[in-house]
Amino acid sequence: MTRKQIILSWLSLICLTCISVFASDFIDNIQLFIIVVMLIVFIKGQQIVDVFMELKTAPTFWRLLLISYTFLIPLIISIIYLI
């Protein structure tokens, strides 16, 4: 990864964090808010796995294991809050 890619990834993580913080001001529906925030959590997790942990070129098993973790945890949390 180049320095430029890492900085852009870091900036996107900061922007996504700010969006999830300010989403409560713009989204009145609690179910939609939870879905939006958990989607942002998934995107951020995938970004961390691919860029900062450099698993984009790692063996498929390890990359899929961590990507599935970033998918399953927000999914479980969403289900808990939506039920």
Side-chain angles (χ1 to χ4, degrees):
M1 300 244 70
T2 65
R3 179 176 279 196
K4 183 178 179 180
Q5 289 172 323
I6 292 172
I7 290 173
L8 287 175
S9 175
W10 179 72
L11 288 173
S12 70
L13 289 172
I14 290 173
C15 289
L16 287 170
T17 301
C18 291
I19 290 170
S20 64
V21 168
F22 293 115
S24 63
D25 294 337
F26 301 110
I27 301 174
D28 294 330
N29 186 347
I30 190 70
Q31 287 85 10
L32 180 61
F33 172 71
I34 290 170
I35 291 169
V36 167
V37 169
M38 289 303 144
L39 181 65
I40 290 172
V41 168
F42 170 71
I43 293 168
K44 287 172 60 176
Q46 183 181 15
Q47 190 78 351
I48 290 168
V49 168
D50 286 343
V51 176
F52 292 103
M53 296 176 78
E54 295 184 4
L55 289 178
K56 196 166 199 154
T57 58
T60 307
F61 172 75
W62 293 109
R63 184 169 185 268
L64 288 177
L65 184 69
L66 286 170
I67 292 292
S68 65
Y69 178 81
T70 63
F71 176 75
L72 286 175
I73 297 303
L75 179 68
I76 292 168
I77 291 172
S78 297
I79 291 171
I80 289 170
Y81 276 103
L82 293 175
I83 292 181

